[in-house]
Amino acid sequence: MTELLIAPDALQSHCSMILQHHGLPVADADVVSTSLVDANLRGVDSHGVSRMPIYIERLRRGLVTPNPQIRIISDRGASLLVDGDNGMGAVVTTKALELAHERLGQYGSVSVGIRNSSHYGSGAYYAEQAAARGAASFLYSNAPSTMAPWGGVDPYLGTNPYTFGVPAGKHAPIILDMATSVVARGKIILAADAGKEIPEGWAIDSEGRPTTNARGALDGSVLPFGGPKGYGIALMIDIMAGVLTGAGFGPRIGDLYRDFEKPQNVGAFLQLTNVSTFLPMEEFRARMACMIDEIKSARRAAGVEEIFLPGEIERRKAEQRRERGIPLPEETVDNLNSLGIPAPDSVLTGSAIN
């Protein structure tokens, strides 16, 4: 399969212009496009610009508000409940993050519940921003029903991703960003689109049988990581992000790709903690550096060349792709070019790789 290496800035600019063409204000279009390209940079291509066609389709159908009136509907100082007015998930979540940052100096720790939102992409995008401002973060979201309760057959819970992030002084922030399923459903979608099989243990079909057929998996259920442990975490995330916030939960969340009758009403929950509330920043940084240095220098198992910290592999991938370009399948580039805005020369002339 031929791929094109695309300059990240050119890709972000192109996606932003497409989103503006479909009604998003410039600042919001930049937020969404930057979050998508950030996922591609980190190698999480399932959450990158391949999502643009479905984002645009939902905008066209009026299922997403292009210029949402995001508002606080409950304010207890250190606890906020935000209504996203069915806006783009990245726009709503960025606003919630900013509201939390504004209050950290006064309260030290702030929680924000979110309702009436949509798919917010990769959680690492928000955790990196929080860490850059000296905050530890915990962010989680519910998602459309694609995962059966442990021991069940029919999907009820979503893959319900969660993200932890902490600043780390002289080292890059530690960012743990993962779904509660064995694999993000987006990777199964990519495999199905490419006509590829998936590994055993990723999913079951509609009858509850293990399957390696990507299409069969999409009709069935993804499996939680760690069996009942992943199921339990996914359930608690749905309670906190969905039940508690007044957002959709379980099958009440609109499917991004298949439900074109209503907005998604995705819920999310964000917690920020100002590190200096507990320790002077310099002391925290020194303790983090000590921990990281000890882990990186720990005795390694046979055949292991290096011990990695959460987010470290993705950060190295991002450095590489910033320098060399982001590899995109020709099909993805063609899909972008079909969304109403011609690609600039900097995108069209991306170098081909096989």
Side-chain angles (χ1 to χ4, degrees):
M1 178 176 61
T2 300
E3 293 184 323
L4 297 176
L5 282 175
I6 310 297
D9 290 346
L11 183 60
Q12 183 275 324
S13 178
H14 185 210
C15 290
S16 180
M17 287 190 294
I18 293 170
L19 290 161
Q20 291 172 51
H21 178 70
H22 290 280
L24 265 66
V26 175
D28 290 355
D30 282 342
V31 165
V32 176
S33 57
T34 300
S35 71
L36 293 173
V37 172
D38 183 75
N40 283 116
L41 281 169
R42 294 169 62 85
V44 189
D45 296 313
S46 59
H47 286 55
V49 299
S50 63
R51 300 276 179 151
M52 280 288 291
I54 192 61
Y55 281 7
I56 298 304
E57 181 64 20
R58 296 187 74 84
L59 281 166
R60 283 173 174 165
R61 291 173 177 257
L63 299 172
V64 177
T65 308
N67 191 10
Q69 301 303 304
I70 302 169
R71 60 192 178 93
I72 298 172
I73 56 178
S74 177
D75 188 343
R76 300 294 179 88
S79 301
L80 302 170
L81 179 59
V82 170
D83 188 296
D85 192 26
N86 295 316
M88 299 293 288
V91 173
V92 176
T93 308
T94 296
K95 178 62 175 179
L97 186 68
E98 189 58 38
L99 288 170
H101 276 300
E102 290 172 358
R103 301 184 182 215
L104 271 188
Q106 179 179 1
Y107 295 106
S109 187
V110 178
S111 299
V112 184
I114 301 170
R115 66 168 64 157
N116 289 326
S117 187
S118 56
H119 183 266
Y120 67 41
S122 172
Y125 173 70
Y126 312 100
E128 289 275 6
Q129 295 178 59
R133 298 173 68 169
S137 61
F138 183 27
L139 170 67
Y140 40 95
S141 171
N142 59 11
S145 298
T146 54
M147 185 164 70
W150 184 246
V153 173
D154 298 323
Y156 184 88
L157 298 168
T159 56
N160 296 0
Y162 64 104
T163 308
F164 286 96
V166 291
K170 70 177 184 179
H171 296 283
I174 295 178
I175 307 292
L176 174 64
D177 185 18
M178 59 186 290
T180 49
S181 53
V182 172
V183 67
R185 192 167 185 266
K187 293 185 178 180
I188 300 177
I189 293 172
L190 290 178
D193 289 344
K196 297 180 179 179
E197 290 198 334
I198 59 173
E200 291 184 8
W202 278 18
I204 54 177
D205 66 16
S206 59
E207 299 300 320
R209 298 169 300 204
T211 183
T212 59
N213 182 283
R215 291 291 175 194
L218 293 177
D219 291 333
S221 170
V222 296
L223 292 171
F225 76 86
K229 294 181 179 180
Y231 155 62
I233 294 173
L235 175 62
M236 297 308 296
I237 289 173
D238 206 3
I239 292 170
M240 294 296 292
V243 177
L244 180 66
T245 64
F249 63 92
R252 295 162 184 81
I253 302 169
D255 188 289
L256 182 67
Y257 288 91
R258 294 185 289 191
D259 190 343
F260 295 108
E261 301 299 322
K262 61 183 179 181
Q264 283 193 279
N265 193 14
V266 170
F269 202 89
L270 167 67
Q271 295 172 307
L272 288 191
T273 298
N274 191 336
V275 167
S276 61
T277 300
F278 294 90
L279 280 177
M281 181 58 78
E282 288 307 311
E283 182 179 352
F284 177 79
R285 287 172 175 166
R287 290 168 65 84
M288 284 300 302
C290 176
M291 169 181 272
I292 292 170
D293 290 342
E294 288 174 350
I295 290 174
K296 297 294 287 184
S297 62
R299 195 157 59 100
R300 299 186 295 273
V304 175
E305 295 183 1
E306 183 176 1
I307 296 173
F308 292 102
L309 293 157
E312 189 173 5
I313 293 174
E314 292 84 352
R315 185 166 292 107
R316 292 186 186 182
K317 175 73 74 174
E319 292 171 357
Q320 180 188 78
R321 289 187 169 186
R322 283 192 186 95
E323 180 180 344
R324 301 179 183 177
I326 295 172
L328 291 181
E330 280 189 313
E331 181 183 3
T332 299
V333 176
D334 290 342
N335 287 340
L336 291 176
N337 291 337
S338 71
L339 296 178
I341 294 292
D345 289 344
S346 52
V347 173
L348 289 173
T349 58
S351 56
I353 56 176
N354 293 310

